[in-house]
Amino acid sequence: MAKAPRVDWTRAHYLIALNLYCKLPFSHFDSKKPIIKEVAERMGRSPGSLAMKLGNLASLDPVHLARGVSGLSNASNQDKAMWHEFQTDRALLVPESEQLLHDLFTEDNDSEVDFLQRDKVRLEPTPKLTVPTGPTESTATVKVRRGQQFFRQSILNAYGVRCCISGINVPRLLVASHIKPWHDFLNERLDPRNGLCLSSLHDAAFDSGLITLDDKLSVVLSKRLKKFFPQPALEQSFVPFEGQRIHLPDKLAEPSHDFLSYHRKEVFQN
């Protein structure tokens, strides 16, 4: 039987693969997984080709390497160059990669591609987002939405779709929380080290400075929050986790200690 013709890896295909890499667990880099089959078919590639490329990218991920997960051993110079570019120019390449992936599945810019179910791709209505104002964003609403969608999907998946404090595992109750605020820090907006997967309650508390994390990644409750005790429902949501280390992400990178230091100094209201 004649072999299928070889399909070159274009820049667009690389960006889709890099996007997908951030959203799927290592165990899903398998040509037999339905989600790999579906994305590969839409790319015009074989499932084996896409799965192998994801394995090559895993060999370049310092988080996986630190945990003894080596990925495949035949990453090319082009793999290395695209990995480096994607990590160092997220502000440009993350929204572009999200748009490319989006366009594989739909032409509707009011829909987002959802990977949180992991065994299939879903299309979800674009959530109502408060788009930050600023000189670079007045005409970039769709680009901002794509960046936010990527950040949410990659952070929630990195943490196993569970709140890193409480363990809550209901996607619609989870938030990809920014450690350094989105509206103030352009360069850190899409950095996975600036993200935490939190329940909507814990996100609100973190964002308003009622809780923070210490340098050991353990939960700290503010005196301001404790002034509202005793309230059984409130205490049940926070007291059991005080002093407990958060659940760390399975991939990408654990939260930046520098970013958390900023949160303790500038946001936390003790």
Side-chain angles (χ1 to χ4, degrees), residues 36-118:
I36 297 295
K37 290 181 178 179
E38 183 173 6
V39 176
E41 180 180 359
R42 291 175 182 271
M43 293 171 69
R45 307 200 65 88
S46 70
S49 170
L50 178 56
M52 183 174 294
K53 185 61 66 180
L54 294 172
N56 289 344
L57 295 175
S59 72
L60 305 174
D61 188 337
V63 177
H64 277 323
L65 294 176
R67 294 173 178 167
V69 180
S70 59
L72 299 179
S73 60
N74 55 342
S76 68
N77 289 334
Q78 190 176 10
D79 294 341
K80 295 173 184 177
M82 287 300 302
W83 173 271
H84 177 74
E85 186 179 353
F86 194 77
Q87 303 307 316
T88 56
D89 196 7
R90 292 187 185 91
L92 176 65
L93 296 187
V94 161
E96 182 181 350
S97 73
E98 188 68 22
Q99 188 68 52
L100 288 166
L101 182 64
H102 171 277
D103 292 347
L104 288 181
F105 291 89
T106 181
E107 295 179 356
D108 181 5
N109 269 331
D110 291 325
S111 295
E112 304 296 339
V113 180
D114 185 292
F115 278 77
L116 295 182
Q117 199 162 317
R118 294 188 173 181

Coordinates of all heavy atoms in Angstrom, one line a residue, residues 36-118:
I36 N -7.6 14.1 19.3 CA -6.4 14.2 18.4 C -6.9 13.9 17.0 O -6.5 14.6 16.1 CB -5.3 13.3 18.9 CG1 -4.8 13.7 20.3 CG2 -4.2 13.2 17.9 CD1 -4.1 15.0 20.3
K37 N -7.7 12.9 16.9 CA -8.2 12.5 15.5 C -9.0 13.7 14.9 O -8.8 14.0 13.7 CB -9.1 11.3 15.6 CG -8.3 10.0 16.0 CD -9.3 8.8 16.1 CE -8.6 7.5 16.3 NZ -9.6 6.4 16.4
E38 N -9.8 14.3 15.7 CA -10.7 15.4 15.1 C -9.9 16.6 14.7 O -10.0 17.1 13.6 CB -11.7 15.8 16.1 CG -12.7 16.8 15.6 CD -13.9 17.1 16.5 OE1 -13.9 16.6 17.6 OE2 -14.7 17.9 16.1
V39 N -8.9 17.0 15.6 CA -8.1 18.2 15.3 C -7.2 17.9 14.1 O -7.1 18.7 13.1 CB -7.3 18.7 16.5 CG1 -6.4 19.8 16.1 CG2 -8.3 19.1 17.6
A40 N -6.6 16.7 14.1 CA -5.7 16.4 13.0 C -6.4 16.3 11.6 O -5.9 16.8 10.6 CB -5.1 15.0 13.3
E41 N -7.6 15.8 11.6 CA -8.4 15.7 10.4 C -8.7 17.1 9.9 O -8.6 17.4 8.7 CB -9.7 14.9 10.6 CG -10.6 14.8 9.4 CD -11.9 14.1 9.6 OE1 -12.1 13.6 10.8 OE2 -12.7 13.9 8.7
R42 N -9.1 18.0 10.8 CA -9.4 19.4 10.3 C -8.1 20.1 9.9 O -8.2 21.0 9.1 CB -10.1 20.1 11.5 CG -11.5 19.6 11.8 CD -12.1 20.3 13.0 NE -13.4 19.8 13.3 CZ -14.6 20.2 12.8 NH1 -14.5 21.3 11.9 NH2 -15.7 19.7 13.1
M43 N -7.0 19.7 10.4 CA -5.7 20.3 9.9 C -5.2 19.7 8.6 O -4.3 20.3 8.0 CB -4.6 20.1 11.0 CG -4.8 20.8 12.3 SD -3.6 20.3 13.6 CE -2.1 21.0 12.9
G44 N -5.8 18.6 8.2 CA -5.3 17.9 7.0 C -4.1 17.1 7.3 O -3.3 16.8 6.4
R45 N -4.0 16.6 8.6 CA -2.8 15.8 9.0 C -3.3 14.5 9.5 O -4.5 14.3 9.8 CB -2.0 16.5 10.1 CG -1.6 17.9 9.8 CD -0.4 18.3 10.7 NE 0.7 17.5 10.4 CZ 1.6 17.8 9.4 NH1 1.5 19.0 8.8 NH2 2.7 17.1 9.2
S46 N -2.4 13.5 9.7 CA -2.7 12.3 10.3 C -2.7 12.4 11.8 O -1.9 13.3 12.3 CB -1.7 11.2 9.9 OG -0.5 11.4 10.5
P47 N -3.5 11.7 12.5 CA -3.5 11.7 14.0 C -2.1 11.4 14.6 O -1.6 12.0 15.5 CB -4.5 10.7 14.4 CG -5.4 10.6 13.3 CD -4.6 10.8 12.1
G48 N -1.4 10.5 13.9 CA 0.0 10.1 14.3 C 0.9 11.3 14.2 O 1.8 11.5 15.1
S49 N 0.8 12.0 13.2 CA 1.7 13.2 13.0 C 1.5 14.2 14.1 O 2.4 14.8 14.6 CB 1.4 13.8 11.6 OG 2.1 15.1 11.5
L50 N 0.2 14.5 14.4 CA -0.1 15.5 15.4 C 0.3 15.0 16.8 O 1.0 15.7 17.6 CB -1.6 15.8 15.4 CG -2.1 16.8 16.5 CD1 -1.3 18.1 16.4 CD2 -3.6 17.0 16.4
A51 N 0.0 13.7 17.1 CA 0.4 13.2 18.4 C 2.0 13.2 18.6 O 2.5 13.5 19.7 CB -0.1 11.7 18.5
M52 N 2.7 12.9 17.5 CA 4.2 12.9 17.6 C 4.7 14.3 17.8 O 5.6 14.5 18.6 CB 4.7 12.3 16.3 CG 6.3 12.2 16.3 SD 6.9 11.4 14.9 CE 6.3 9.7 15.1
K53 N 4.1 15.3 17.1 CA 4.5 16.7 17.3 C 4.3 17.1 18.8 O 5.2 17.8 19.4 CB 3.8 17.6 16.4 CG 4.3 19.0 16.4 CD 5.7 19.1 16.0 CE 6.0 18.8 14.5 NZ 7.4 18.9 14.1
L54 N 3.2 16.7 19.4 CA 2.9 17.1 20.8 C 3.9 16.4 21.7 O 4.4 17.0 22.6 CB 1.5 16.7 21.1 CG 0.4 17.4 20.4 CD1 -1.0 16.8 20.8 CD2 0.4 18.9 20.8
G55 N 4.3 15.2 21.3 CA 5.4 14.5 22.1 C 6.7 15.2 22.0 O 7.5 15.3 22.9
N56 N 7.0 15.7 20.8 CA 8.3 16.4 20.6 C 8.3 17.7 21.4 O 9.3 18.1 22.0 CB 8.4 16.8 19.1 CG 8.8 15.6 18.2 OD1 9.1 14.5 18.7 ND2 8.6 15.7 16.9
L57 N 7.1 18.4 21.4 CA 7.0 19.6 22.2 C 7.2 19.3 23.7 O 7.8 20.1 24.5 CB 5.7 20.3 22.0 CG 5.5 20.8 20.5 CD1 4.1 21.4 20.4 CD2 6.5 21.9 20.2
A58 N 6.7 18.2 24.2 CA 6.8 17.8 25.6 C 8.3 17.7 26.0 O 8.7 18.0 27.1 CB 6.1 16.5 25.9
S59 N 9.1 17.3 25.0 CA 10.5 17.1 25.3 C 11.2 18.4 25.6 O 12.4 18.5 26.1 CB 11.2 16.3 24.2 OG 11.4 17.1 23.0
L60 N 10.6 19.5 25.2 CA 11.1 20.9 25.4 C 10.6 21.6 26.6 O 11.0 22.7 26.9 CB 10.8 21.7 24.1 CG 11.3 21.1 22.8 CD1 10.8 21.9 21.6 CD2 12.8 20.9 22.8
D61 N 9.6 21.0 27.2 CA 8.9 21.6 28.4 C 9.7 21.4 29.6 O 9.8 20.3 30.1 CB 7.5 21.0 28.5 CG 6.6 21.8 29.5 OD1 7.2 22.4 30.4 OD2 5.4 21.7 29.4
P62 N 10.3 22.5 30.2 CA 11.1 22.3 31.4 C 10.3 21.8 32.6 O 10.9 21.1 33.5 CB 11.6 23.7 31.7 CG 10.7 24.6 31.0 CD 10.2 23.9 29.8
V63 N 9.0 22.0 32.7 CA 8.2 21.5 33.8 C 8.1 20.0 33.7 O 8.3 19.2 34.7 CB 6.8 22.1 33.8 CG1 5.9 21.5 34.9 CG2 6.9 23.6 34.0
H64 N 7.9 19.4 32.5 CA 7.9 18.0 32.3 C 9.2 17.4 32.6 O 9.4 16.4 33.2 CB 7.4 17.6 30.9 CG 5.9 17.6 30.7 ND1 5.1 17.2 31.7 CD2 5.2 18.0 29.7 CE1 3.8 17.3 31.2 NE2 3.8 17.8 30.0
L65 N 10.3 18.0 32.1 CA 11.6 17.5 32.3 C 12.0 17.4 33.8 O 12.6 16.5 34.2 CB 12.6 18.4 31.5 CG 12.5 18.4 30.0 CD1 13.5 19.4 29.4 CD2 12.7 17.0 29.5
A66 N 11.5 18.4 34.5 CA 11.8 18.4 36.0 C 11.1 17.3 36.7 O 11.6 16.9 37.8 CB 11.4 19.8 36.6
R67 N 10.0 16.8 36.1 CA 9.3 15.7 36.7 C 9.6 14.4 36.1 O 9.0 13.4 36.4 CB 7.8 16.0 36.5 CG 7.3 17.2 37.3 CD 5.9 17.6 37.0 NE 5.5 18.7 37.8 CZ 4.3 19.4 37.6 NH1 3.6 19.1 36.6 NH2 4.0 20.5 38.3
G68 N 10.6 14.3 35.3 CA 11.1 13.1 34.7 C 10.2 12.6 33.5 O 10.4 11.5 33.1
V69 N 9.4 13.5 33.0 CA 8.6 13.2 31.8 C 9.4 13.7 30.6 O 9.5 14.9 30.4 CB 7.2 13.8 31.8 CG1 6.4 13.4 30.6 CG2 6.5 13.3 33.1
S70 N 9.9 12.8 29.7 CA 10.9 13.3 28.7 C 10.2 13.6 27.4 O 10.8 14.2 26.5 CB 12.0 12.2 28.5 OG 11.4 11.0 28.2
G71 N 9.0 13.1 27.1 CA 8.4 13.2 25.8 C 9.2 12.4 24.8 O 9.9 11.5 25.1
L72 N 9.1 12.8 23.5 CA 9.9 12.1 22.5 C 11.2 12.8 22.3 O 11.4 13.9 22.7 CB 9.1 12.2 21.1 CG 7.7 11.5 21.2 CD1 7.0 11.6 19.8 CD2 7.8 10.0 21.6
S73 N 12.1 12.1 21.7 CA 13.5 12.5 21.7 C 14.0 13.1 20.3 O 15.2 13.4 20.2 CB 14.5 11.4 22.0 OG 14.3 10.3 21.1
N74 N 13.1 13.3 19.4 CA 13.5 13.8 18.1 C 12.9 15.2 17.7 O 12.6 15.4 16.6 CB 13.1 12.7 17.0 CG 11.6 12.4 17.0 OD1 10.9 12.7 18.0 ND2 11.1 11.9 16.0
A75 N 12.9 16.0 18.7 CA 12.5 17.4 18.4 C 13.5 18.1 17.4 O 14.7 18.0 17.6 CB 12.4 18.2 19.7
S76 N 12.9 18.7 16.4 CA 13.7 19.3 15.4 C 14.1 20.7 15.8 O 13.6 21.3 16.7 CB 13.0 19.4 14.0 OG 11.9 20.3 14.2
N77 N 15.1 21.3 15.0 CA 15.4 22.7 15.2 C 14.2 23.6 15.1 O 14.1 24.6 15.8 CB 16.6 23.1 14.3 CG 17.9 22.5 14.7 OD1 18.1 22.1 15.8 ND2 18.8 22.3 13.7
Q78 N 13.4 23.3 14.1 CA 12.2 24.1 13.9 C 11.2 24.0 15.1 O 10.6 25.0 15.5 CB 11.4 23.7 12.7 CG 10.3 24.6 12.3 CD 9.6 24.3 11.0 OE1 9.9 23.2 10.4 NE2 8.8 25.1 10.4
D79 N 11.1 22.8 15.7 CA 10.3 22.6 16.9 C 10.8 23.5 18.0 O 10.1 24.2 18.7 CB 10.4 21.1 17.4 CG 9.7 20.1 16.5 OD1 8.9 20.5 15.6 OD2 10.1 18.9 16.6
K80 N 12.2 23.5 18.2 CA 12.8 24.3 19.3 C 12.6 25.8 19.0 O 12.3 26.5 20.0 CB 14.3 23.9 19.3 CG 14.5 22.5 19.8 CD 16.0 22.2 19.7 CE 16.3 20.7 20.0 NZ 17.7 20.4 19.8
A81 N 12.7 26.2 17.8 CA 12.5 27.6 17.4 C 11.1 28.1 17.7 O 10.9 29.1 18.3 CB 12.9 27.9 16.0
M82 N 10.1 27.3 17.3 CA 8.7 27.6 17.5 C 8.3 27.6 18.9 O 7.6 28.5 19.4 CB 7.8 26.7 16.7 CG 7.9 27.0 15.1 SD 7.3 28.7 14.7 CE 5.7 28.7 15.4
W83 N 8.9 26.6 19.7 CA 8.6 26.6 21.1 C 9.1 27.9 21.8 O 8.4 28.5 22.6 CB 9.3 25.4 21.7 CG 9.2 25.3 23.2 CD1 10.1 25.9 24.1 CD2 8.2 24.7 24.0 NE1 9.7 25.6 25.4 CE2 8.5 24.9 25.4 CE3 7.0 24.0 23.7 CZ2 7.8 24.5 26.4 CZ3 6.2 23.6 24.8 CH2 6.6 23.8 26.1
H84 N 10.3 28.2 21.5 CA 10.9 29.4 22.1 C 10.1 30.7 21.7 O 9.9 31.5 22.6 CB 12.4 29.6 21.6 CG 13.1 30.8 22.1 ND1 13.5 31.0 23.4 CD2 13.4 32.0 21.5 CE1 14.0 32.2 23.6 NE2 14.0 32.8 22.5
E85 N 9.8 30.8 20.4 CA 9.0 32.0 20.0 C 7.7 32.1 20.7 O 7.3 33.2 21.1 CB 8.9 32.0 18.5 CG 8.2 33.2 17.9 CD 8.1 33.2 16.4 OE1 8.6 32.2 15.8 OE2 7.4 34.1 15.9
F86 N 7.0 30.9 20.8 CA 5.7 30.9 21.5 C 5.8 31.3 22.9 O 4.9 32.0 23.5 CB 5.1 29.5 21.3 CG 3.6 29.5 21.6 CD1 2.7 29.9 20.7 CD2 3.1 29.0 22.8 CE1 1.3 29.9 21.0 CE2 1.8 28.9 23.1 CZ 0.9 29.4 22.2
Q87 N 6.8 30.9 23.6 CA 7.0 31.2 25.0 C 7.4 32.7 25.2 O 7.1 33.3 26.3 CB 8.1 30.3 25.7 CG 7.8 28.8 25.5 CD 6.4 28.4 26.0 OE1 6.0 28.8 27.1 NE2 5.8 27.6 25.3
T88 N 8.1 33.3 24.3 CA 8.6 34.6 24.5 C 7.8 35.7 23.9 O 8.0 36.9 24.1 CB 10.1 34.7 23.9 OG1 10.1 34.3 22.6 CG2 11.0 33.8 24.7
D89 N 6.8 35.3 23.0 CA 6.0 36.4 22.4 C 4.5 36.0 22.5 O 3.8 35.9 21.5 CB 6.4 36.5 20.9 CG 5.9 37.8 20.3 OD1 5.3 38.6 21.0 OD2 6.0 38.0 19.1
R90 N 4.1 35.7 23.7 CA 2.7 35.2 23.9 C 1.7 36.3 23.5 O 0.6 35.9 23.0 CB 2.5 34.9 25.4 CG 3.3 33.6 25.9 CD 2.8 33.3 27.3 NE 3.6 32.2 27.8 CZ 4.8 32.3 28.5 NH1 5.2 33.6 28.8 NH2 5.4 31.3 29.0
A91 N 2.0 37.5 23.8 CA 1.0 38.6 23.5 C 0.6 38.6 22.0 O -0.6 38.8 21.7 CB 1.6 40.0 23.9
L92 N 1.5 38.2 21.1 CA 1.1 38.2 19.7 C 0.7 36.8 19.3 O -0.4 36.6 18.6 CB 2.4 38.6 18.9 CG 2.2 38.5 17.4 CD1 1.2 39.5 16.9 CD2 3.5 38.7 16.7
L93 N 1.4 35.7 19.7 CA 1.2 34.4 19.2 C 0.0 33.7 19.8 O -0.6 32.8 19.2 CB 2.4 33.6 19.3 CG 3.6 34.1 18.4 CD1 4.8 33.1 18.5 CD2 3.2 34.4 17.0
V94 N -0.3 33.9 21.1 CA -1.4 33.2 21.8 C -2.7 33.5 21.1 O -3.4 32.6 20.7 CB -1.4 33.5 23.3 CG1 -2.8 33.2 23.9 CG2 -0.3 32.7 24.0
P95 N -3.1 34.8 20.9 CA -4.4 35.1 20.2 C -4.4 34.6 18.8 O -5.4 34.1 18.3 CB -4.5 36.6 20.3 CG -3.6 37.1 21.4 CD -2.5 36.1 21.4
E96 N -3.2 34.6 18.1 CA -3.2 34.1 16.7 C -3.4 32.6 16.7 O -4.2 32.1 15.9 CB -1.8 34.4 16.1 CG -1.7 34.0 14.7 CD -0.3 34.3 14.1 OE1 0.5 35.0 14.7 OE2 0.0 33.8 13.0
S97 N -2.8 31.9 17.7 CA -3.0 30.5 17.7 C -4.4 30.1 18.1 O -4.9 29.1 17.5 CB -2.0 29.8 18.7 OG -2.4 30.1 20.1
E98 N -5.0 30.8 19.0 CA -6.4 30.6 19.3 C -7.3 30.8 18.2 O -8.3 30.1 18.0 CB -6.8 31.4 20.5 CG -8.1 31.1 21.1 CD -8.2 29.7 21.8 OE1 -7.1 29.2 22.2 OE2 -9.3 29.2 22.0
Q99 N -7.0 31.9 17.4 CA -7.9 32.1 16.2 C -7.8 31.0 15.2 O -8.8 30.6 14.6 CB -7.5 33.5 15.6 CG -8.4 34.0 14.5 CD -9.8 34.3 15.0 OE1 -10.0 35.1 16.0 NE2 -10.9 33.7 14.5
L100 N -6.5 30.6 15.0 CA -6.3 29.5 14.0 C -7.1 28.2 14.4 O -7.7 27.5 13.6 CB -4.8 29.2 13.9 CG -4.0 30.2 13.1 CD1 -2.5 30.0 13.3 CD2 -4.3 30.2 11.6
L101 N -7.0 27.9 15.7 CA -7.7 26.7 16.2 C -9.2 26.9 16.1 O -10.0 26.0 15.7 CB -7.3 26.5 17.7 CG -7.9 25.2 18.3 CD1 -7.4 23.9 17.6 CD2 -7.6 25.2 19.8
H102 N -9.7 28.1 16.5 CA -11.1 28.5 16.4 C -11.6 28.3 15.0 O -12.7 27.7 14.7 CB -11.3 29.9 16.8 CG -12.6 30.5 16.6 ND1 -13.0 31.0 15.4 CD2 -13.7 30.7 17.4 CE1 -14.2 31.5 15.4 NE2 -14.7 31.3 16.6
D103 N -10.8 28.7 14.0 CA -11.3 28.7 12.6 C -11.3 27.3 12.0 O -11.9 27.1 11.0 CB -10.4 29.6 11.7 CG -10.6 31.1 12.1 OD1 -11.5 31.4 12.8 OD2 -9.7 31.9 11.7
L104 N -10.6 26.3 12.7 CA -10.7 24.9 12.2 C -12.2 24.4 12.5 O -12.6 23.5 11.7 CB -9.8 24.0 13.0 CG -8.3 24.1 12.7 CD1 -7.6 23.1 13.6 CD2 -8.0 23.9 11.3
F105 N -12.9 25.0 13.4 CA -14.2 24.4 13.9 C -15.3 25.3 13.5 O -16.5 24.8 13.4 CB -14.1 24.2 15.4 CG -13.2 23.1 15.8 CD1 -11.9 23.3 16.1 CD2 -13.7 21.8 15.9 CE1 -11.1 22.3 16.4 CE2 -12.9 20.7 16.2 CZ -11.5 21.0 16.5
T106 N -15.1 26.6 13.4 CA -16.3 27.5 13.1 C -15.8 28.8 12.5 O -14.7 29.2 12.8 CB -17.1 27.7 14.4 OG1 -18.2 28.6 14.1 CG2 -16.2 28.4 15.5
E107 N -16.7 29.5 11.8 CA -16.4 30.8 11.3 C -17.2 31.8 12.2 O -17.1 33.0 11.9 CB -16.9 30.9 9.8 CG -16.1 30.0 8.9 CD -16.6 30.2 7.5 OE1 -17.6 30.9 7.2 OE2 -16.0 29.5 6.6
D108 N -17.9 31.4 13.2 CA -18.6 32.2 14.0 C -17.7 32.8 15.1 O -17.3 32.1 16.0 CB -19.8 31.5 14.7 CG -20.7 32.3 15.6 OD1 -20.5 33.5 15.6 OD2 -21.5 31.7 16.2
N109 N -17.5 34.1 15.0 CA -16.6 34.8 16.0 C -17.3 35.0 17.3 O -16.6 35.5 18.3 CB -16.1 36.1 15.5 CG -14.7 35.9 14.7 OD1 -14.0 35.0 15.0 ND2 -14.5 36.7 13.8
D110 N -18.5 34.6 17.5 CA -19.2 34.7 18.7 C -19.3 33.4 19.4 O -20.0 33.2 20.4 CB -20.7 35.3 18.5 CG -20.6 36.7 18.1 OD1 -19.8 37.5 18.6 OD2 -21.5 37.1 17.3
S111 N -18.5 32.4 19.0 CA -18.4 31.1 19.6 C -16.9 30.9 20.0 O -16.0 31.4 19.3 CB -18.8 30.0 18.7 OG -20.2 30.1 18.4
E112 N -16.7 30.1 21.0 CA -15.4 29.8 21.5 C -15.2 28.2 21.4 O -16.2 27.5 21.7 CB -15.1 30.3 22.9 CG -15.2 31.8 23.0 CD -14.3 32.6 22.2 OE1 -13.2 32.1 21.8 OE2 -14.6 33.8 22.0
V113 N -14.0 27.8 21.2 CA -13.7 26.4 21.1 C -13.3 25.9 22.6 O -12.4 26.5 23.2 CB -12.5 26.1 20.2 CG1 -12.2 24.6 20.1 CG2 -12.9 26.5 18.8
D114 N -14.0 24.9 23.1 CA -13.9 24.5 24.5 C -13.3 23.1 24.5 O -13.8 22.2 23.9 CB -15.3 24.5 25.1 CG -15.2 24.2 26.6 OD1 -14.8 23.0 26.9 OD2 -15.4 25.1 27.5
F115 N -12.1 23.0 25.2 CA -11.4 21.7 25.4 C -11.5 21.1 26.8 O -10.9 20.1 27.1 CB -10.0 21.9 25.0 CG -9.7 21.9 23.6 CD1 -9.9 23.0 22.8 CD2 -9.1 20.8 23.0 CE1 -9.7 23.0 21.5 CE2 -8.8 20.8 21.6 CZ -9.1 21.9 20.9
L116 N -12.4 21.7 27.6 CA -12.4 21.3 29.0 C -12.9 19.8 29.2 O -12.6 19.2 30.2 CB -13.1 22.2 29.9 CG -12.5 23.7 30.0 CD1 -13.3 24.6 30.9 CD2 -11.1 23.6 30.4
Q117 N -13.7 19.3 28.3 CA -14.2 18.0 28.5 C -13.2 16.9 28.1 O -13.3 15.8 28.5 CB -15.5 17.8 27.6 CG -16.4 16.7 28.0 CD -17.8 16.8 27.5 OE1 -18.4 17.8 27.5 NE2 -18.3 15.7 27.0
R118 N -12.2 17.3 27.3 CA -11.0 16.5 27.0 C -11.2 15.4 26.0 O -10.3 15.0 25.4 CB -10.3 16.0 28.3 CG -9.7 17.2 29.1 CD -8.9 16.7 30.2 NE -8.2 17.7 30.9 CZ -7.4 17.6 31.9 NH1 -7.2 16.4 32.4 NH2 -6.8 18.6 32.5

